[in-house]
Amino acid sequence: MKLPDLAAYERDGFLVLEDFLPAAECDALQARAAELVAGFAAPARRTVFSTEDQRHADDRYFSESGDAIRFFFEEAATDQPTALALNKIGHALHDLDPVFDRVSRRSELAELARALGLDQPLLLQSMYLFKQPHIGAPVDWHQDATYLYTQPSTVTGFWIALDDADRDNGCLVALPGGHRGPLRFRRGGGRLATETLDATPWPAVSPVAIEARRGTLVVLHGKLPHASTPNRSSRSRHAYSLHVIDGRADYPADNWLQRPTLPLRGFA
Ligand code: FE2
């Protein structure tokens, strides 16, 4: 594996590695996600995932999904079939599904995590993100450490484009260097409440759009402010996102994501 540009990662808070995941593995994840969706009996009441409101705040279907494979709908979904109405699948695909397990534990990813300083990596959370044509919602500015909090902060995001991602279909946007500022919020307290840790505004730097061809891996520092744009196109923007923490850090018992039935594992 080509060594990552650690100086760029320290400067910007993200790395873009093109052609990281072979096309056959992108195909495998998309096919497996389609199978999981086909096997999901959509409930009468759909659980929406939205970063813009707290409607799911007390929804146990969401809050108890840390050790499960569950399905969340787009807020704007109306009469679309389930396969075109889902926002995401989460949050333990990497441990509970053999295809996602295999791709999540590729040696290239393990080596990269080690190179980034994750000495005792634990694969905490995975999400299959659909960003559906026309209705894929934006994701507000946030730092992943808000949701996946450790002391000290160690969470690192590995985001893989399974479709070409651009400004029209909802690519990532980031504030370069913003990871060097404080963590602003923490989602915890068991009931998905958000606590303000530091009221410093987002840094006044121009956002950059991280356009990514299929198979590209974007590494996101846990404190990097980032967002994604809505999908206004007729194309999907599927992505697979895996979050890794370091087992040397403390993982508080009141973080929203808990895995009472499923011990955390590394890349092995
Ligand atoms: Fe994020």
Side-chain angles (χ1 to χ4, degrees):
M1 187 191 76
K2 192 166 147 274
L3 280 176
D5 186 345
L6 293 178
Y9 185 64
E10 279 169 29
R11 181 189 67 226
D12 299 331
F14 66 93
L15 279 179
V16 179
L17 305 177
E18 292 187 338
D19 300 317
F20 186 87
L21 192 66
E25 294 287 62
C26 295
D27 291 344
L29 289 189
Q30 289 186 302
R32 185 62 189 140
E35 284 176 7
L36 291 171
V37 171
F40 164 59
R45 191 177 76 81
R46 294 171 162 191
T47 300
V48 164
F49 180 80
S50 165
T51 62
E52 290 182 350
D53 71 32
Q54 299 296 311
R55 200 179 308 165
H56 66 64
D58 293 312
D59 192 325
R60 291 172 61 186
Y61 185 77
F62 179 86
S63 66
E64 297 177 1
S65 63
D67 51 8
I69 294 177
R70 294 191 176 175
F71 301 79
F72 302 95
F73 285 85
E74 274 297 344
E75 194 165 25
T78 51
D79 55 356
Q80 294 87 351
T82 300
L84 290 172
L86 288 171
N87 172 288
K88 68 177 173 183
I89 309 174
H91 290 95
L93 285 160
H94 61 292
D95 283 329
L96 297 176
D97 182 84
V99 178
F100 282 89
D101 179 347
R102 186 191 76 222
V103 173
S104 302
R105 292 186 166 86
R106 287 172 63 86
S107 59
E108 294 87 348
L109 213 47
E111 283 177 42
L112 178 59
R114 194 177 314 126
L116 294 170
L118 292 159
D119 279 2
Q120 291 177 28
L122 293 174
L123 280 58
L124 176 62
Q125 171 189 268
S126 51
M127 297 185 284
Y128 190 95
L129 307 166
F130 291 93
K131 193 77 90 165
Q132 303 282 4
H134 306 297
I135 60 167
V139 173
D140 283 349
W141 290 99
H142 67 281
Q143 297 164 293
D144 288 340
T146 288
Y147 305 99
L148 304 170
Y149 181 82
T150 64
Q151 290 175 311
S153 182
T154 58
V155 67
T156 304
F158 298 92
W159 184 101
I160 299 172
L162 302 177
D163 290 317
D164 294 346
D166 56 39
R167 290 169 176 80
D168 295 327
N169 71 348
C171 69
L172 293 167
V173 288
L175 301 179
H179 64 299
R180 286 183 255 117
L183 180 64
R184 274 73 172 181
F185 305 103
R186 183 188 163 214
R187 177 72 55 90
R191 287 172 59 83
L192 303 189
T194 300
E195 171 191 359
T196 300
L197 302 176
D198 190 306
T200 305
W202 299 123
V205 296
S206 298
V208 295
I210 307 176
E211 296 194 315
R213 279 188 303 132
R214 186 177 201 238
T216 298
L217 168 68
V218 182
V219 183
L220 297 159
H221 187 284
K223 290 201 295 176
L224 179 74
H226 63 283
S228 70
T229 55
N231 186 352
R232 302 201 191 284
S233 79
S234 57
R235 295 169 289 128
S236 63
R237 194 235 63 188
H238 292 192
Y240 178 56
S241 168
L242 177 71
H243 284 97
V244 179
I245 57 172
D246 195 308
R248 295 172 299 176
D250 177 52
Y251 189 81
D254 68 344
N255 274 2
W256 81 266
L257 192 158
Q258 298 294 333
R259 305 199 349 156
T261 67
L262 199 60
L264 289 171
R265 289 170 49 210
F267 285 102

